Amino acid sequence: MLEQSLLMVKPHAFTAKKTGMIISMLENNDFQIVGIKSIKLTPELARRFYFVHEGKEFFERLINYMSTGTVAAICVEKENCVADLRKFIGATDPAKAAEGTIRKVVGVTVEQNGVHASDSVENAKKEIRFFFSDIELYSYRYLQY
């Protein structure tokens, strides 16, 4: 089934000019980009986005890190998108990520692992709506040549 998911390029990867490489990796692996924007997350926005982790020991570090710089929010689309994207980004720890995955290529540490990706279809819908309105997204299912 055709799905959409969110991939967010984290601050260190954005600052290190890895966003273009990540976009190329996505496109070269059949992910269609249907929305893209850059944004500076404030601590308040980061808290809203990562609210599911509130109370966990790493929450404050995550909020502080994610509000240090610009991120790129990318909405992608393809069949089985959420599961395929999770596999394609690789393990949270870049040292344990498989060769050719985004985190293996651009990740530095567990915290600075390059990207965030939605972990379920339900969360993908919520995360996409966090960054994008309807007029900012274009589905390839409607594309006609």
Side-chain angles (χ1 to χ4, degrees), residues 16 18 21 24-25 29 31 43 49 56 120 139 141 143:
K18 301 295 184 187
M21 177 193 314
S24 292
M25 291 175 75
N29 284 274
F31 291 93
F49 185 80
K56 296 180 182 172
S120 69
S139 176
R141 72 185 94 184
L143 188 61

Side-chain angles (χ1 to χ4, degrees), residues 7-26 33 36-38 70-74 102 106 114-115:
L7 181 124
M8 181 171 37
V9 178
K10 293 184 177 181
H12 81 279
F14 190 92
T15 302
K17 300 181 181 179
K18 301 295 184 187
T19 306
M21 177 193 314
I22 293 168
I23 290 168
S24 292
M25 291 175 75
L26 291 168
I33 294 174
I36 186 168
K37 67 168 63 172
S38 60
T70 304
V71 301
I74 305 170
I102 294 173
V106 304
V115 295

Side-chain angles (χ1 to χ4, degrees), residues 4-6 82 118-129:
Q4 292 182 344
S5 190
L6 180 84
V82 173
S118 303
D119 63 1
S120 69
V121 172
E122 178 181 274
N123 283 340
K125 291 176 184 176
K126 292 176 188 174
E127 292 177 355
I128 290 165
R129 290 291 161 233

